[in-house]
Amino acid sequence: MLSHLHVITEILMMSFALGMDSLSLSIGVGLSDIRRRTAVQLCLTIGVFHVVFTFMGLMFGNMIGQYLGAVAHWFGVLLLFGLGVHMLYTSLRKDEEKPASVATAIAMLLFSATVSLDALSVGFSLGLRSATYGVVSAISFGFVSMFMCGIGLLVGKKFGQSIGKYGEILGAFVLISCGFMFLF
């Protein structure tokens, strides 16, 4: 019984650690006055990507982990910079109708993939455990990341409503600064 409790605690701790990216980056996206439907789609997409990337990591193992780790790092940095700059550009435009930074399907998929890349590397290390442990971990990663994304979007929306256009600009700088943090 104590062994099972230890395993559950271990999986939940990893899930929350992986979900922190979802939480922090979603706050920046939530500042851009994202629509409810888009928010739900983003949460679901991030959850699915966490599960899929963990399974990919389990399947491919450590033999390609070193190569993908370097590529994923630079891809994530460039994508966060790009989304932040795009969000800043759209918030400074004079048009009333401004798209959110993750309003298009491609932007949402790229954002979700970037947020979920750390699940891929964790999946590599989970391959050393049992298959059941890996499956339960992957599902837990998906649900917790989806939940934390939703919390981040709500927090961002609350701040965004109170500070308006400046909230969108702040959200853009949050994404750009997260890109800088990933860089180092």
Side-chain angles (χ1 to χ4, degrees), residues 80-99:
L80 286 174
F81 280 138
L83 285 172
V85 169
H86 174 69
M87 185 183 235
L88 184 61
Y89 171 75
T90 58
S91 66
L92 294 176
R93 283 190 5 207
K94 299 286 184 200
D95 300 344
E96 286 298 313
E97 185 99 17
K98 292 180 272 197

Side-chain angles (χ1 to χ4, degrees), residues 25 29 42 76-90 100-104 106-112 114-115 168 171-173 175-176:
L25 295 175
V29 172
L42 182 63
V77 167
L78 289 174
L79 186 62
L80 286 174
F81 280 138
L83 285 172
V85 169
H86 174 69
M87 185 183 235
L88 184 61
Y89 171 75
T90 58
S101 64
V102 292
T104 66
I106 292 173
M108 185 181 302
L109 289 173
L110 288 173
F111 181 79
S112 299
T114 301
V115 170
E168 292 182 36
F173 282 113
L175 291 176
I176 292 170

Side-chain angles (χ1 to χ4, degrees), residues 36-181:
R36 183 178 307 212
R37 179 178 174 179
T38 305
V40 170
Q41 289 172 340
L42 182 63
C43 290
L44 291 172
T45 305
I46 285 176
V48 168
F49 268 101
H50 270 80
V51 172
V52 168
F53 280 2
T54 303
F55 282 134
M56 285 174 54
L58 285 166
M59 287 186 340
F60 294 120
N62 288 327
M63 65 184 193
I64 59 171
Q66 295 294 336
Y67 173 72
L68 283 182
V71 171
H73 174 76
W74 288 107
F75 177 74
V77 167
L78 289 174
L79 186 62
L80 286 174
F81 280 138
L83 285 172
V85 169
H86 174 69
M87 185 183 235
L88 184 61
Y89 171 75
T90 58
S91 66
L92 294 176
R93 283 190 5 207
K94 299 286 184 200
D95 300 344
E96 286 298 313
E97 185 99 17
K98 292 180 272 197
S101 64
V102 292
T104 66
I106 292 173
M108 185 181 302
L109 289 173
L110 288 173
F111 181 79
S112 299
T114 301
V115 170
S116 306
L117 278 173
D118 50 357
L120 183 66
S121 58
V122 171
F124 292 142
S125 63
L126 292 178
L128 303 174
R129 295 268 185 123
S130 70
T132 304
Y133 185 87
V135 170
V136 170
S137 296
I139 293 169
S140 176
F141 296 167
F143 278 114
V144 170
S145 295
M146 186 172 48
F147 178 73
M148 292 178 81
C149 174
I151 290 173
L153 291 172
L154 286 174
V155 168
K157 185 174 181 85
K158 292 295 180 193
F159 282 118
Q161 288 174 344
S162 63
I163 58 180
K165 181 178 181 176
Y166 297 108
E168 292 182 36
I169 295 170
L170 177 63
F173 282 113
V174 166
L175 291 176
I176 292 170
S177 64
C178 285
F180 274 118
M181 288 177 15

